[in-house]
């Protein structure tokens, strides 16, 4: 399995912090929380309901906006911009591939890429050639459910924003000719 190749590399680099994203099946817009391993809410995600293109914000638990994610429109392949604390941080672009899912990230925070399996359930986020995060989408659940391991030295909100982009492109937008 694709995921196992990188699992050992992430553990060599240090301790991982685990997060969980579970989107509600019958919710209006993209509103959900990101939890830690103990089940405590760590971040809130809110999406705009009536907007052209996806626009989501990640807030800390004090309602401070940490991340803004915006879909770029009229692109052949899906493309999103990520802003951290109001400043441009990255452009995430889906690459054209046949038997896997791959994203290229142009970022001022390092050289990133996202590699995923054919079924879009297991992903690795790689920074400067080393896996820094592992993402697993659960097979059977009510709503999309992800388990995310992130190397403790990384910016959690930035990595979680990339996970949300993966979900928007591959799972939320299947009927919008986006993935």
């Amino acid at each position: 399995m694709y995921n196992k190749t990188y699992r050992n590399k992430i553990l060599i680099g240090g301790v991982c912090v685990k997060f969980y994203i579970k989107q509600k099946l019958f919710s209006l817009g993209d509103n959900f929380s990101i939890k830690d391993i103990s089940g405590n809410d760590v971040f809130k995600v809110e999406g705009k309901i009536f907007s052209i293109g996806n626009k989501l914000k990640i807030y800390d638990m004090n309602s401070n906006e940490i991340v803004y994610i915006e879909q770029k429109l009229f692109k052949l392949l899906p493309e999103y911009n990520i802003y951290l604390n109001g400043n441009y941080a990255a452009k995430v672009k889906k690459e054209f591939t046949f038997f896997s899912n791959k994203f290229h990230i142009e970022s001022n925070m390092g050289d990133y890429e996202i590699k995923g399996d054919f079924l879009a359930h297991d992903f690795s986020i790689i920074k400067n050639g080393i896996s820094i995060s592992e993402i697993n989408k659960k097979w059977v659940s009510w709503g999309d459910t992800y388990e995310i391991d992130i190397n403790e030295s990384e910016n959690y909100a930035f990595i979680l924003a990339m996970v949300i982009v993966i979900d928007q492109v591959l799972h939320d937008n299947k009927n919008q000719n986006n993935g």
Side-chain angles (χ1 to χ4, degrees):
M1 181 190 236
Y2 186 88
N3 204 11
K4 291 181 182 174
T5 305
Y6 290 98
R7 178 78 53 191
N8 292 334
K9 289 183 183 178
I10 192 171
L11 296 177
I12 291 170
V15 176
C16 294
V17 178
K18 194 173 293 287
F19 294 93
Y20 297 92
I21 297 175
K22 182 171 181 156
Q23 296 182 5
K24 296 176 183 162
L25 190 58
F26 301 108
S27 68
L28 190 58
D30 284 317
N31 295 322
F32 53 91
S33 62
I34 300 174
K35 299 182 180 297
D36 64 14
I37 196 164
S38 300
N40 301 313
D41 290 344
V42 182
F43 297 104
K44 295 181 287 188
V45 180
E46 295 180 4
K48 289 197 175 192
I49 299 172
F50 300 110
S51 68
I52 298 174
N54 294 319
K55 293 176 177 64
L56 299 111
K57 294 181 180 182
I58 301 175
Y59 297 93
D60 65 15
M61 296 316 296
N62 293 321
S63 297
N64 298 310
E65 181 182 320
I66 307 295
V67 176
Y68 175 66
I69 302 167
E70 177 179 52
Q71 180 182 16
K72 301 288 284 181
L73 300 176
F74 309 113
K75 299 291 181 177
L76 181 61
L77 293 171
E79 187 175 309
Y80 286 76
N81 286 336
I82 298 174
Y83 299 85
L84 283 174
N85 299 312
N87 299 311
Y88 174 83
K91 180 185 341 180
V92 180
K93 295 171 62 174
K94 185 172 187 328
E95 294 184 13
F96 181 75
T97 57
F98 283 110
F99 299 110
S100 66
N101 287 289
K102 192 171 183 180
F103 295 80
H104 175 73
I105 295 90
E106 295 173 13
S107 171
N108 57 15
M109 298 175 60
D111 182 24
Y112 291 89
E113 66 179 328
I114 301 171
K115 293 182 179 180
D117 66 355
F118 176 71
L119 299 173
H121 278 259
D122 294 313
F123 291 88
S124 294
I125 298 177
I126 300 153
K127 178 182 179 184
N128 301 323
I130 298 170
S131 179
I132 53 128
S133 181
E134 298 292 328
I135 300 111
N136 176 265
K137 183 176 186 287
K138 300 297 179 194
W139 283 96
V140 180
S141 65
W142 292 95
D144 290 339
T145 302
Y146 295 88
E147 179 179 275
I148 305 109
D149 291 316
I150 302 174
N151 186 299
E152 70 176 349
S153 64
E154 296 300 320
N155 182 314
Y156 305 145
F158 179 61
I159 302 301
L160 292 167
M162 286 193 268
V163 174
I164 291 168
V165 168
I166 291 170
D167 181 65
Q168 292 296 305
V169 171
L170 298 175
H171 299 287
D172 283 358
N173 294 330
K174 280 189 177 176
N175 298 324
Q176 296 178 16
N177 194 22
N178 209 16

